[in-house]
């Protein structure tokens, strides 16, 4: 069978390959004194809060399960608009909000609407692998620009300006970022956008972890800068609705009918039940619960990162958001008698029954030295992980 070159360009999602190996080992060690601890997948251990679950059940009982408009329920678009106003003090009209089948669908729609074959999109290295694959699927080319800890693993205006050429179409950023948990300061983001705008390009930004910001300096939406910026968001992370497959995008008003046409043909609409459930995310009771959980994620970060540092798993930049630790495993690899993050990940899986993600997925800028650990797990599990790592590495 002959497959398309488009499909062949998409690399495997190695985090899922590691996950399969971890699941297989987990079955072998289930019921032992050291069952598998999963710190490899970026999925909150929390589920949708009670009001959201009740709203979903009510939608099913009442038969509110038929297709919605491709842009999403008007009521949900209004609620999202209100959230931008109350949370960030930014006026984002509901007419510019498109509800999507997860942030993945939003990224696909944005890339298909804006990228021509051969266009280049500048992205930081390291960065989330699927984002560059969305660019590739739209016949574009992701150009990864190496970043350093001193740059918080984010692009700068100077770096974007230096890399821009006649093929460059724009930038795709993430703030906070996966895998590093670092954000772009609003002033630098404004300077990056000025460079992009001066070249007639597009600024796309993945803000799916924006609700999980912990530092006052960050946690500001890029939509406060300019209405031409395209922001991608999701109900998966802050709102704890990963498997519900619901997200949204904010686009310039002129782009709405283009995205609507694409969404009608590719997706029809996002899950109707999920949309009705998501209306309850913005109730005061739900927001209070989400904020309690955000504080718990911060407490986990504040415990786990220093513990890793004490074990020689150096985290060069304290994450200011999300729930990841981007840790240099060079010292650990030497102690374990292996080389690189890929072998380190499998050695930790085998000897400590801890699943982590090797840096291979996230780019090529020294990513072989790093592993990503997720703190989207209970404090008890994180404490047990530290105890096992200390026994192995300490």
């Amino acid at each position: 069978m002959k497959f398309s070159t488009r499909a062949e360009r998409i690399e495997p999602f190695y985090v899922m390959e590691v996950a399969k190996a971890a699941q297989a080992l987990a079955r072998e060690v289930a019921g032992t004194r050291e069952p598998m601890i999963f710190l490899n997948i970026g999925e909150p251990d929390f589920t949708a809060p009670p009001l959201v679950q009740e709203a979903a059940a009510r939608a099913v009982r009442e038969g509110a399960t038929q297709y919605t408009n491709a842009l999403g329920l008007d009521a949900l678009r209004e609620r999202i608009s209100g959230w931008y106003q109350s949370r960030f003090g930014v006026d984002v009209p509901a007419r510019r909000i498109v509800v999507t089948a997860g942030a993945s669908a939003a990224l696909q729609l944005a890339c298909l609407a804006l990228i021509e074959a051969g266009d280049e999109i500048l992205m930081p290295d390291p960065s989330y692998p699927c984002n560059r694959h969305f660019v590739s699927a739209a016949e574009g080319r992701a150009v990864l620009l190496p970043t350093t800890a001193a740059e918080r693993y984010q692009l700068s205006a100077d770096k974007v300006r230096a890399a821009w050429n006649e093929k460059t179409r724009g930038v795709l950023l993430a703030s906070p970022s996966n895998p590093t948990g670092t954000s772009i300061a609003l002033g630098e983001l404004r300077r990056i956008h000025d460079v992009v705008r001066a070249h007639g390009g597009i600024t796309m930004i993945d803000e799916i972890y924006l609700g999980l910001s912990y530092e006052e300096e960050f946690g500001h939406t890029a939509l406060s800068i300019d209405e031409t910026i395209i922001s991608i968001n999701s109900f998966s992370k802050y709102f704890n609705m990963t498997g519900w497959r619901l997200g949204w995008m904010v686009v310039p008003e002129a782009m709405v009918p283009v995205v609507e046409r694409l969404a009608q043909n590719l997706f029809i609409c996002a899950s109707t039940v999920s949309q009705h459930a998501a209306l309850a995310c913005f109730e005061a009771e739900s927001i209070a619960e989400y904020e309690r959980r955000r504080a718990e994620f911060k407490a986990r970060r504040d415990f786990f990162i220093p513990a890793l540092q004490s074990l020689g798993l150096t985290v060069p930049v304290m994450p200011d958001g999300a729930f990841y630790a981007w840790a240099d495993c060079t010292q650990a690899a030497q102690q374990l008698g292996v080389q690189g993050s890929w072998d380190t990940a499998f050695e930790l899986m085998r000897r400590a029954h801890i699943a982590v993600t090797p840096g291979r997925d996230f780019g090529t800028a020294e990513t072989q030295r790093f592993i990503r650990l997720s703190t989207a797990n209970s404090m008890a599990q994180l404490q047990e992980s530290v105890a096992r790592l200390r026994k192995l590495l300490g």
Side-chain angles (χ1 to χ4, degrees), residues 42-49 52 55 71-84 97-106 206-212 231-250 270-283 286-287 290 293 297 323:
E43 180 171 41
D45 57 325
F46 300 115
T47 58
V52 177
L71 297 176
L73 289 171
D74 288 341
L76 182 54
R77 297 164 75 198
E78 290 288 351
R79 290 284 179 93
I80 296 170
S81 174
W83 190 66
Y84 278 109
I97 297 169
V98 180
V99 178
T100 60
S104 296
D206 171 347
E207 295 190 315
I208 70 173
Y209 295 99
L210 185 60
L212 294 175
S231 171
I232 308 298
N233 219 310
S234 174
F235 284 92
S236 290
K237 310 303 180 179
Y238 175 75
F239 295 103
N240 308 152
M241 295 174 69
T242 50
W244 301 67
R245 306 315 303 134
L246 194 65
W248 76 88
M249 60 197 302
V250 181
S271 163
T272 301
V273 173
S274 295
Q275 290 189 64
H276 282 288
L279 290 168
C281 290
F282 303 99
E283 297 294 335
S286 297
I287 293 295
Y290 288 131
R293 294 175 180 185
F297 280 126
F323 36 60

Side-chain angles (χ1 to χ4, degrees), residues 287-363:
I287 293 295
E289 177 61 17
Y290 288 131
E291 285 301 290
R292 186 194 69 76
R293 294 175 180 185
R294 183 168 72 98
E296 173 63 20
F297 280 126
K298 182 178 184 296
R300 295 173 186 181
R301 179 200 70 168
D302 292 346
F303 160 75
F304 197 60
I305 302 297
L308 290 180
Q309 305 272 35
S310 71
L311 294 168
L313 287 164
T314 306
V315 180
V317 185
M318 183 68 158
D320 57 80
F323 36 60
Y324 299 113
W326 184 240
D328 189 331
C329 64
T330 303
Q331 180 179 322
Q334 291 173 348
Q335 289 180 254
L336 295 171
V338 297
Q339 290 188 336
S341 63
W342 183 264
D343 290 342
T344 298
F346 279 88
E347 201 69 5
L348 292 177
M349 192 189 308
R350 184 178 67 85
R351 295 172 61 177
H353 299 168
I354 298 172
V356 302
T357 299
R360 182 175 181 176
D361 262 330
F362 304 102

Side-chain angles (χ1 to χ4, degrees), residues 15-27:
V15 64
M16 294 306 180
E17 297 299 313
V18 174
K20 285 192 291 187
Q23 289 286 357
L25 182 57
R27 288 190 290 272

Side-chain angles (χ1 to χ4, degrees), residues 167-188:
K167 292 184 179 180
T168 308
R169 180 72 174 104
V171 298
L172 175 51
L173 312 170
S175 185
S177 169
N178 176 4
T180 64
T182 60
S183 300
I184 310 174
L186 195 62
E188 189 61 33

